[in-house]
Amino acid sequence: MRAGPLAVVSILLTARTALAAEPMAPNDIQATFFDGQPFSASTPGGAKFKMTFTPSGKMTREPLAQSGHTDNGTWKLNAKGFCTTWQHSKPNCFTVIPKGENKWLVQKTATTIAITVAVWSK
């Protein structure tokens, strides 16, 4: 018995979905990143930052090279990930998805589409 083209596509899509990484639980995000130790972040546009999130809910962002400005703000966990509020900005919420060794995608969900806003690395 041969599988038709639609069956093959269905199998491939199912396998791809099964291999997709799941977002980290909020407590795992906190334990991995929000411990006061700095880590690196890069945006899709190439800006790079040193990020530090403290256990007390404060955060800082310092540019590496001339790719942005220093900023301060606050963070808190939510049901799916975490939310940030930078100075002079509205709150935004994100999920964190593992992407290989020592790399994580930070995604913001707009309606049903997840948009990667940064890649974090340690």
Side-chain angles (χ1 to χ4, degrees):
M1 176 188 258
R2 287 183 16 184
L6 290 177
V8 171
V9 169
S10 176
I11 291 167
L12 290 174
L13 288 175
T14 302
R16 183 175 174 199
T17 302
L19 295 174
E22 292 292 319
M24 292 175 71
N27 289 339
D28 292 336
I29 296 170
Q30 183 174 11
T32 304
F33 297 103
F34 301 170
D35 58 2
Q37 297 299 310
F39 58 90
S40 299
S42 60
T43 67
K48 295 182 183 201
F49 297 91
K50 178 174 85 170
M51 309 287 287
T52 306
F53 288 70
T54 67
S56 65
K58 299 198 183 303
M59 60 186 184
T60 59
R61 172 177 70 188
E62 298 175 38
L64 300 174
Q66 296 180 356
S67 60
H69 62 278
T70 299
D71 207 352
N72 297 298
T74 58
W75 67 268
K76 65 179 181 177
L77 298 178
N78 70 0
K80 294 184 179 183
F82 72 102
C83 301
T84 62
T85 305
W86 295 101
Q87 286 180 330
H88 313 295
S89 297
K90 294 180 181 179
N92 285 291
C93 296
F94 306 94
T95 57
V96 178
I97 300 173
K99 180 168 173 43
E101 191 166 332
N102 298 320
K103 288 194 180 211
W104 297 263
L105 300 177
V106 179
Q107 296 186 331
K108 181 176 181 180
T109 302
T111 314
T112 58
I113 299 170
I115 300 165
T116 298
V117 297
V119 175
W120 287 355
S121 59
K122 284 189 151 193

